[in-house]
Amino acid sequence: MQSFSYARPASLDSAIATFAEGGEGTRLLAGGTTLYDLMKLDVERPERIVDINGLAELSTIDTSGDELVFGALARMSDVAADPRLADEFPALSEALWKAASQQLRNMASLGGNLLQQTRCAYFRHGEPFACNKRSPGSGCSAIEGLNRGHALFGGSDACIATYPGDFAVALIAFDAEVDVAGPDGERTIPVSDLHRQPGDNPEAETVLMPGEIIIRIRVPADAVGRGSTYHKIRDRESYAFAVVSAAAAVRLEAGVVADARLALGGVATVPWRAREAEHSLIGTALTAETARAVGEIAFADAVTREHNAFKVELGANVVRDALLIASGRA
Amino acid sequence: MPTGPYAEIPRVDAYEKVRGRAIYGTDNNPSGVAYGAFVTATIGRGRITAMDLSEAQSIDGVRLIVNHEHTSDLQPARFIMQHGFAFQSYSPVLTPNVAYRGQPVALVVADTLESAIEAASRIRVSYEEHPFAATLDSERAEPVPQAEAATAWPIDDIVVGDAETVYADAAVKVDATYTMPTQHQNPMELIGTVAAWDGDHLTVYEGTQNAGACKFGLAEQLGIPPENVTVISPYTGGGFGQKNTMQSQQVLTAFAARELGRPVKVVVPRRQTFHDSSFRPATRQRVRLAADSAGRFTAALYDVDAQTSMHDFFQSEHADTAARHYGYGAFRSFTRLVRTDTPTPGYMRAPFEHATAFAIESAVDELAYEHGMDPVQIRLLNDTDTDIVDGLPHSSRHVSECLRRGAELFGWDRRTPEPRSMVAQNGDLIGMGVAIGLYAGSGGPNRASVRATRDGIIEISLGVHEMGQGIRTAIANVVARHLNVAPESVTAILGDTRGVPQMLTAGSWGSASSIPAAEAVCEALREALDALGTNAPEGASPAEILALADHDELSVEAATFAPGQNRDALGEIDTGHVAPSGPVYPDFITYSYAAHFVEVRVEQTTRRIRVPRVVSVFDCGRVLSPRTARSQAIGGVVWGVGGALREAGEVDPRYGGVLNADMAEYLVPVNADIGSIEVGFIDEPDPMVNRSGVKGLGEVVLVGVAPAITNAIYHATGVRARHLPVRIEDLV
Ligand SMILES: Cc1cc2nc3c(=O)[nH]c(=O)nc-3n(C[C@H](O)[C@H](O)[C@H](O)COP(=O)(O)OP(=O)(O)OC[C@H]3O[C@@H](n4cnc5c(N)ncnc54)[C@H](O)[C@@H]3O)c2cc1C
Ligand code: SF4
C-alpha cells in the first residue's frame, strides 16, 4: 500500500475545502469497506485521504417527518434497524439488512454504500486483465470472459460491469434524492441520476463533481412504501451480492394497483428502474400471472451474455415474487 | 481398564482458543522480525526476462529483495509423492521460470508489512510468454494414462472380470458423465512461516500438518543438517490438506532470515493461497453401471480424467474407492491424469472420495430410478462382505447398519419415490436423497513418549498434529482412561520436532496411527510403574504410585505400527517421510463408512435450493471423543453442502489463475445456509485394524454428502445434476 496523507476535518466546510484542494488523488473515507478493500487490491492508490467521520452532523437518521432523512454517515446497520423504516418502508430496510455482513454493515455508511464499486473480478484484480474502467482504453475482459455476474441492462461495448449495491436500487424505487455539497455550494441529485452508465468512458461512475460530498439522502415518505419489499436472490442465504434483486412497491385501491414501483439490482450497470413494467401494473388486479407478465416486461430488453442469460427467466420470477410479497403487505 | 464407549469430555484446548491463548505459527513475533511480501507472476506460463527493482528498493524500510538471481544455492523442493517433502516439485523464485499465473517471482522483505507490500507492487517484471493450458478442458491440456505415468508408487487401473462384456449384455444400465470444478480449501489460518536463526540453527513457527517434512525438507533445500532445524506447530488453524507438506514460502522465508540475520515472517495472503498452493483437481468421471433384473450390480466401468500439473503427476485414487462402494460383479477403471499449467493439485479433504462418491452414488440413484427400486434398498442389496479387488474380507464394514439407522432417524419411509411428488405447504418442492461414502482406513508407524511426575503431570509426545479436529481431546480421553487420571492433567506435545518424530497428519490416519501409540506408551508406563513394586492399590494413578515409591518422575517410550508394517517404517518417519499403510492390509481391508440422508427444498419460482435437514450416520470404529467427533461430522457435512451447492474455482482460460480468489467471491456456506444436522455413530471398534479399534473420521464425514444432495434435488425437481456445484441456473 503506498503512503498517503491523512486529514480528519472537523467541519463540512473544511472537509470540502480539503477534498477540493487535494485534487485527483484524493479520496473521502467513510466506513472504508469499499475504499480499503480496493486499496489492498491496489486498484485505488490514493495520495490523500480525507476522513469524514468527524462530521457528526452527517450521521443523523430522521424518519419522523414526511421525508425520511439519512445523513451520509449513518451506518447501514443503524438505518436497517430503524423501526419506522422497517414498518413503513420494508424495502429500504431489507435492502440494507440483506447486504454484506453484520460486521460490514456496522462500519459502512450510506454515502459510501451508494458509491461502492463493481465486483467485476477483472476490474478488482488488476494486472493482467484488460479493463476499461480501471485502465481506460485497455479493453474489457468480461465481454468475452466469465460474465455470469455482469449486466443485462445499461452496458456498452466498453463495459458491462454490474452496479452491485442493494440500497440504491431500493432508493430509486421511491424517487429518493441526495444532497451534495461542494466548492460551489449545495445541489440536489435524484439517486436515479447519480450513477452514470458506462458508455465510452466507464471510468466515470457518477455525476459528482470534484470536491463534492454527499451529505444526506432524502426519501419522500410516500404511502406506497408500506406495500414494499426488497427481494434479493443470491448464491447463498446471506453475505452475497444479488444474482438478481427487485425492489417492488404497490399501493392498492379497491383491489387494483394505483401506484407501482419496480427497480432491479444485480443485472444492470446502474440501479435500474423498470418504468414500463411499472406502468403495465397500474389499474390491474395483481395475481401470480399478471405479476409474472410484469416480470417479463421488465426483462424484455435484456442484452444477455454467455453466462448470464438465465437471469431473464430468473428475473421475471424474482419480479413476480417481489410483487406478490409487496402486495401482501399493501 | 474399562472398555466400551468413551465418555464425552469438553474440547481440552477450548479455553485456550476462545481466550486467544492458543499461539498459532505466525502469531509469533520474535524480536526484530521483518516482514515479507511476494511479487506474483501475471502470465500463464513463460520466463522472466528482466526485473526492475529500482523503484522498490527506494521504498523506506525495504531490506532485501529475493529473486532467482540470489537463490542459486538453494535446492529445489521435491514432491511428496516422489519421496520428497513438498506439495510439488516446482519451486518458484529458484529459477526464472513461470509455471502458472500467480506464482511468486520475488520476495520483498521490509521493516513493516506495508512497506513490503508497497515495494512488491513497484517491481516491474518483463516476461517471455508461452502458451499454456489453464483448465482440464483446455486444448493444450495433456492427458496421460495414469498406468503409464512415471511415479514412485505406480497405480494401475483396476480390472475385475470382464466388465465391458457384462455391461454390453446387461438389461438395466446407466451411462453418465459427472464433472466437478477445482476447489480450494480455505482454512481460517493462512499459510505462513516465521523463520528465526540462532547461529546455524533454524527455528520455524508454522501452522502445518507435517512438521517432520518441514524440518527435513528445509534442511535439504538449505543444505544444512536436519538436526539444525526445529519446527514448532502446536496448533494449526485448519489444514484440510493444504498444509500437508512444504509450501513455496518456507525455504524463501528461511533464506531471507539467514541473509538478513534477523527473523522474517511471511504470511501468504488469501488471494495468493488460491494461486500457489494445492487444491482439489477438476475431474470428469464417466460411470457405466449395469444391474440384473433383481437390482444387483453386475458391472461397473469407471473412467476418470483428473487434473494434474505439468511438473508432477498428482496420482488419482478415485478408482480405488469406487471399486469398494459395492460388491459389483465385474469392475474396470481407466484413469487419465490431465496435465495443466497450474500448481500441483493435492489432498483437499476427501481428495478423491468426494468426487468418486458424487459419480458413483449419482449413478446408483439413476439406476435405482431406471429400475424402479428404492434408493436405500438398492444400496443394501449391493453391500458386500468381501473386497472384489483383492478378495480380502473387510475388517469391519457397517455401511448397511449406517443406512438402516439413518433411514430410521431421517424418516425415509415418509418419502414418496416419484420426482416432484412431495410439495411443501408454501409450494416448495421437497426432495429426499441418500448416498453412502467411504474412506480408506489407513494407519502408520508412530513413536510415543510419556513422562509422569509425582505432582500429577502426564506429558505425552506423539507424532500427530492438532489442526482443530480435536486430536488433543481424543488423546486426553484415551490417556485419562488408561492411566486413571483426569483428562485435564494430560499435556500433549504435538506438531513439535523437539518431541518424537512428526509424521504427516492426513489421510484420516491421525487417530489410527497415534492413538495405538498413546495406548502402548501408557501400557509401558503402567508396567514401569508396576516394576517399582509399590503394591499400590488397583486403579492407583501414576502420581500416587510415584509417591509411594518416592520417585519424582518416570519416562518411557514406545512405538507402534500398522498391520503388516515393522520397525523399518520408523526409518521413514524418523527422516520426515510418510509411511502410511492400508486400506489393503495383508489379511483384510479397512474402510470407514457414512450414510447421508438429505432433505432439500427447491423454491419453484426462483429455483433456490435449501438444505433444511441432514442425517448422517458413520462407522469410524471406536469413537474416541464423542464431542469433537460430532463436531468433525457436522463440519464435514457443511463441507459437503459447500461442495454440492457453492464452491468452485473460477478460471478464465485466457488468463489462468483464479478469478474469485477471496472469501467474498469463493462461496462457502454461511450459517444461514445450514439447517439441522443430526449425527449418529455406530461406535463399534474395528477388531483388526489396530489395538484401539479406531478407523478414520475426518474425511469420510464429507464423502457422499454432495450426491445425497443432488439425488434429493432430482427427487424434488426431476432434474439430474451431473455437474457441481448446482446453482440456480442449473434448475431454471
Ligand atoms: C465482502 C463484502 C460484501 C458486500 N456485500 C454487499 C451486498 O451484499 N450488498 C451491498 O449493497 N453492498 C455490499 N457490500 C458493499 C458495502 O455495502 C460497501 O462497501 C459499503 O456500503 C461502503 O460504505 P463505506 O462507508 O464503508 O464506504 P467507503 O469505503 O468509506 O467509501 C466508498 C467510496 O465512497 C466514497 N465516499 C464515501 N462517503 C462519501 C460521501 N459522503 N460523499 C462522497 N463520497 C463518499 C469514498 O471516497 C469511496 O470512494 C459488500 C462489501 C464487502 C467488502
Ligand atoms: S466489465 Fe467493465 S469493469 Fe469489468 S472488465 Fe469490462 S470494463 Fe472492466
Side-chain angles (χ1 to χ4, degrees), chain B residues 331-396:
Chain B
F331 184 92
R332 202 269 296 129
S333 70
F334 174 57
T335 300
R336 299 191 307 174
L337 302 176
V338 183
R339 305 168 74 180
T340 58
D341 294 291
T342 57
T344 302
Y347 298 89
M348 179 165 161
R349 198 177 196 180
F352 316 103
E353 300 72 11
H354 168 53
T356 297
F358 172 52
I360 298 290
E361 293 296 308
S362 296
V364 166
D365 204 66
E366 298 201 34
L367 192 109
Y369 272 97
E370 199 61 31
H371 216 301
M373 279 182 78
D374 175 76
V376 173
Q377 285 312 316
I378 202 168
R379 287 174 167 83
L380 290 172
L381 180 71
N382 286 286
D383 193 10
T384 177
D385 289 335
T386 46
D387 171 28
I388 60 156
V389 183
D390 299 282
L392 295 169
H394 295 273
S395 58
S396 62

Side-chain angles (χ1 to χ4, degrees), chain A residues 56-65 67-86 88-93 96 109-112 114 167 170-171 174 176-180 191 214-221:
Chain A
E57 67 268 38
L58 299 192
S59 298
T60 47
I61 302 174
D62 181 359
T63 55
S64 60
E67 237 183 12
L68 313 173
V69 184
F70 306 112
L73 278 180
R75 303 290 148 170
M76 287 171 74
S77 48
D78 294 336
V79 178
D82 183 89
R84 178 161 181 226
L85 200 66
E88 294 183 21
F89 282 84
L92 289 176
S93 178
L96 289 168
S109 69
L110 294 193
L114 296 184
F167 191 51
L171 285 175
F174 298 113
E177 296 175 322
V178 288
D179 294 332
V180 304
V191 176
I214 297 177
I215 51 176
R216 70 182 80 80
I217 299 167
R218 289 181 292 106
V219 191

Side-chain angles (χ1 to χ4, degrees), chain B residues 622-705:
Chain B
R622 176 55 86 214
V623 174
L624 301 164
S625 163
R627 186 173 301 180
T628 50
R630 190 157 61 247
S631 155
Q632 271 281 51
I634 291 169
V637 171
V638 172
W639 264 60
V641 174
L645 302 176
R646 301 282 181 265
E647 290 181 56
E650 285 165 15
V651 183
D652 183 331
R654 299 170 302 172
Y655 294 103
V658 185
L659 276 184
N660 58 336
D662 61 48
M663 295 309 295
E665 309 287 342
Y666 182 88
L667 299 184
V668 298
V670 292
N671 267 322
D673 289 322
I674 303 301
S676 136
I677 298 173
E678 193 178 342
V679 173
F681 292 102
I682 302 295
D683 203 1
E684 281 288 332
D686 184 293
M688 295 186 216
V689 72
N690 53 50
R691 59 180 287 160
S692 316
V694 289
K695 306 194 279 187
L697 177 65
E699 317 232 16
V700 77
V701 287
L702 147 72
V703 183
V705 177

Side-chain angles (χ1 to χ4, degrees), chain A residues 118 120 122-123 130-134 139-142 150 158-161 202:
Chain A
T118 186
C120 174
Y122 303 108
F123 167 76
C131 171
N132 288 325
K133 189 190 278 294
R134 174 171 37 76
C140 170
S141 298
H150 288 75
C159 178
I160 53 170

Side-chain angles (χ1 to χ4, degrees), chain A residues 112-128:
Chain A
N113 181 293
L114 296 184
L115 300 183
Q116 64 181 286
Q117 287 184 274
T118 186
R119 301 297 298 183
C120 174
Y122 303 108
F123 167 76
R124 288 168 55 80
H125 292 319
E127 261 195 285

Side-chain angles (χ1 to χ4, degrees), chain B residues 446-591:
Chain B
N446 214 302
R447 291 186 187 273
S449 69
V450 68
R451 185 172 76 96
T453 72
R454 194 175 179 155
D455 329 331
I457 292 171
I458 306 281
E459 195 178 78
I460 185 166
S461 171
L462 289 163
V464 68
H465 303 75
E466 172 60 85
M467 42 215 206
Q469 83 276 44
I471 192 71
R472 263 206 182 81
T473 307
I475 292 166
N477 217 12
V478 169
V479 171
R481 176 189 276 190
H482 281 72
L483 297 180
N484 205 21
V485 297
E488 309 80 71
S489 64
V490 180
T491 303
I493 297 169
L494 314 175
D496 189 330
T497 61
R498 293 169 300 184
V500 297
Q502 294 296 313
M503 185 173 85
L504 165 63
T505 304
S508 230
W509 65 60
S511 296
S513 69
S514 66
I515 296 299
E519 287 189 4
V521 84
C522 288
E523 195 174 279
L525 180 66
R526 276 257 164 245
E527 281 164 15
L529 290 166
D530 286 351
L532 297 175
T534 57
N535 292 326
E538 186 71 25
S541 73
E544 286 159 355
I545 299 171
L546 287 168
L548 284 173
D550 200 18
H551 258 59
D552 285 340
E553 63 173 71
L554 195 58
S555 293
V556 296
E557 293 178 355
T560 51
F561 320 96
Q565 286 186 325
N566 57 36
R567 297 195 74 81
D568 294 346
L570 291 174
E572 291 294 297
I573 61 167
D574 289 351
T575 52
H577 293 294
V578 286
S581 174
V584 181
Y585 297 100
D587 303 321
F588 54 86
I589 76 161
T590 304
Y591 277 82

Side-chain angles (χ1 to χ4, degrees), chain B residues 252-294:
Chain B
L252 297 167
T253 311
F255 173 79
R258 188 168 65 184
E259 292 291 297
L260 281 176
R262 76 193 256 202
V264 173
K265 177 190 292 202
V266 174
V267 179
V268 180
R270 184 68 68 187
R271 176 148 58 125
Q272 290 175 22
T273 69
F274 278 84
H275 287 92
D276 188 43
S277 70
S278 68
F279 60 97
R280 190 191 305 283
T283 48
R284 198 184 296 123
Q285 308 173 75
R286 180 179 182 196
V287 181
R288 279 166 286 171
L289 183 64
D292 64 17
S293 56

